[in-house]
Amino acid sequence: MSLCLTDADYQRAAFNLHLPLAVVRAVAEVESQGQGFLADGRPVILFERHCFYKQLKQYGLDVAQCAQDYSHIVNASPGGYQGGVMEYERLAMAQQIHEAAAYEATSWGIFQIMGWHWRALGYASIDSFVQCMHRSASDQLMAFIRYLKSQPTLIKALQTQQWAQFAKGYNGLDYARHAYDIKLAQAWEKYAHVAA
């Protein structure tokens, strides 16, 4: 299976989601520079320690104790990002506390879909979702399509180029601090110009 999306893959996704091709490409660029895999073949990930904190709570663990013992990976506040392959070290430490919660608290692949969405997106388990994220770029794209189809307000925001509205729903309330809306608008302009 391919670790890169083809033009045809992007076109199929755009058709499936009733979105301009430039929009799908813009989201991919902003989320991962359009690359779903690291040089060693593993999916691009970002471990979110504040999401891990929430997921551990849902599994009934003593998050206060976990946060005290492992504040660098269990924390009510975002942070601690290392980027690239180093994110796998953070994930591995989290897996030792609770594997499923660790996977769920990680964003995966080209479109950085959070693992906790696995059930809503129709995967049999978090392990099944993670296997798909490892398998191919097409599997990562399918997760994105499933996610957007489960969030019609996000599709509407993309159809009308309401970047702030989309970024708020897709990236969270902190989207403005990372300028996701501005980056999306710039990437869309670039791809829309190419397509014109």
Side-chain angles (χ1 to χ4, degrees), residues 3 15 19 33 47 60 66 71 73 77 87 91 173:
L3 301 185
F15 179 79
L19 291 172
Q33 289 90 46
F47 175 76
C66 289
S71 62
I73 56 168
S77 300
E87 288 299 314
L91 176 59
L173 297 175

Side-chain angles (χ1 to χ4, degrees), residues 55 58-59 98-108 113-133 142-143 146-147 150-151:
Q55 294 307 110
Q58 289 194 357
Y59 282 104
H98 195 288
E99 185 169 76
Y103 285 153
E104 291 169 352
T106 301
S107 60
W108 297 87
I113 304 295
M114 290 300 300
W116 76 59
H117 295 299
W118 66 266
R119 188 178 286 107
L121 303 186
Y123 294 91
S125 65
I126 183 58
D127 289 333
S128 174
F129 171 81
V130 170
Q131 286 168 7
C132 285
M133 296 306 96
M142 181 52 63
R146 288 180 180 186
Y147 179 71
S150 76
Q151 305 286 328

Side-chain angles (χ1 to χ4, degrees), residues 23-134:
V23 168
V24 180
R25 285 195 172 277
V27 176
E29 178 172 308
V30 171
E31 291 300 318
S32 67
Q33 289 90 46
Q35 300 299 316
F37 292 87
L38 299 169
D40 64 10
R42 291 180 294 178
V44 170
I45 65 166
L46 194 65
F47 175 76
E48 300 281 5
R49 70 184 189 186
H50 63 294
C51 297
F52 190 44
Y53 183 96
K54 291 176 187 173
Q55 294 307 110
L56 289 175
K57 230 183 208 183
Q58 289 194 357
Y59 282 104
L61 274 72
D62 182 350
V63 289
Q65 187 62 53
C66 289
Q68 185 177 324
D69 295 342
Y70 308 102
S71 62
H72 58 299
I73 56 168
V74 182
N75 202 300
S77 300
Y81 305 111
Q82 300 294 311
V85 296
M86 298 298 290
E87 288 299 314
Y88 275 94
E89 291 190 15
R90 299 175 72 220
L91 176 59
M93 286 186 275
Q95 285 176 269
Q96 292 175 23
I97 298 170
H98 195 288
E99 185 169 76
Y103 285 153
E104 291 169 352
T106 301
S107 60
W108 297 87
I110 298 167
F111 296 94
Q112 290 293 285
I113 304 295
M114 290 300 300
W116 76 59
H117 295 299
W118 66 266
R119 188 178 286 107
L121 303 186
Y123 294 91
S125 65
I126 183 58
D127 289 333
S128 174
F129 171 81
V130 170
Q131 286 168 7
C132 285
M133 296 306 96
H134 277 82

Side-chain angles (χ1 to χ4, degrees), residues 164-179:
Q165 185 181 343
F166 174 77
K168 182 179 179 182
Y170 196 84
N171 302 108
L173 297 175
D174 213 19
Y175 76 91
R177 186 162 70 87
H178 300 286

